[in-house]
């Protein structure tokens, strides 16, 4: 395994099988607002950064996707839609904050977690799966649109956290 101090990628990463990208020290930034896709994989996908993981454009997979930041934030940009075409699951784990400005579409389960911080929701749609949202702080929304469509929803916040606001 090659040790990387920080990675920024502007084009699309295509892979016919499983794909693992790990940054052991630093940030991982994928895609740009100018690209439709940052990553396209037909197998399982793991994107992991020691610090902040930022996905500015979309992710498409025929299997499961895991996005992880072991010490920082996970940021999913407005053009960073995630589409899972098979029964795969989506697992997003941030040590601090998880900020979504994107759309997630899948038929499988979705888990969104921010251990020490807040989860700011985008839109999550799972036609047959469950969605779990866990935040050490607060689960935030910021708009009046429906943010989660699923067969079931589980939400957990920290002791001082809450869910949404009166304008959500």
């Amino acid at each position: 395994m090659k040790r990387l101090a920080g990675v920024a990628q502007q084009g699309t990463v295509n892979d016919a099988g499983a794909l693992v990208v790990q940054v052991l020290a630093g940030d991982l930034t994928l895609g740009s607002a100018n690209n439709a896709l940052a990553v396209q994989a037909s197998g399982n996908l793991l994107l992991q950064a020691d610090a902040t993981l930022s996905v500015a454009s979309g992710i498409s997979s025929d299997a499961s996707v895991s996005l992880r930041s072991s010490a920082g934030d996970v940021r999913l940009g407005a053009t960073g839609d995630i589409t899972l075409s098979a029964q795969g699951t989506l697992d997003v784990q941030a040590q601090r904050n998880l900020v979504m400005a994107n759309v997630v579409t899948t038929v499988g389960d979705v888990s969104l977690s921010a251990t020490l911080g807040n989860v700011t929701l985008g839109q999550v749609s799972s036609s047959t799966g469950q969605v779990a949202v866990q935040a050490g702080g607060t689960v935030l929304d910021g708009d009046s649109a429906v943010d989660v469509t699923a067969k079931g929803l589980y939400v957990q916040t920290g002791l001082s956290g809450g869910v949404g606001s009166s304008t959500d």
Side-chain angles (χ1 to χ4, degrees), residues 1 11 18 26 49 53 83 88 90 100 114-115 118 126 128 135 141-142 145 148-150 152 155 158 163 165-167:
M1 181 183 307
L53 170 60
T83 304
L90 174 65
M100 299 175 63
T115 304
N118 300 327
S126 177
T128 62
D141 176 15
V148 178
T149 304
V155 179
V163 178
S165 69
S166 61
T167 60

Side-chain angles (χ1 to χ4, degrees), residues 60-81:
S60 176
S61 176
D62 294 335
S64 294
V65 172
S66 293
L67 307 174
R68 298 183 182 160
S69 170
S70 57
D73 298 337
V74 173
R75 299 187 174 279
L76 305 174
T79 57
D81 293 351

Side-chain angles (χ1 to χ4, degrees), residues 24 33 39 110 130-131 140 156:
L24 302 177
V39 180
V110 177
Q130 310 288 320
V131 174
L140 304 167
Q156 177 183 354

Side-chain angles (χ1 to χ4, degrees), residues 57-145:
S57 47
I59 294 174
S60 176
S61 176
D62 294 335
S64 294
V65 172
S66 293
L67 307 174
R68 298 183 182 160
S69 170
S70 57
D73 298 337
V74 173
R75 299 187 174 279
L76 305 174
T79 57
D81 293 351
I82 299 172
T83 304
L84 305 179
S85 57
Q87 191 67 30
T89 60
L90 174 65
D91 180 35
V92 183
Q93 298 177 18
Q95 181 65 20
R96 295 189 326 171
N97 297 303
L98 168 55
V99 179
M100 299 175 63
N102 65 332
V103 175
V104 172
T105 305
T106 184
V107 294
D109 294 334
V110 177
S111 175
L112 307 170
S113 174
T115 304
L116 300 175
N118 300 327
V119 174
T120 302
L121 286 172
Q123 291 181 313
V124 179
S125 176
S126 177
S127 58
T128 62
Q130 310 288 320
V131 174
V133 182
Q134 298 172 290
T138 300
V139 176
L140 304 167
D141 176 15
D143 63 32
S144 59

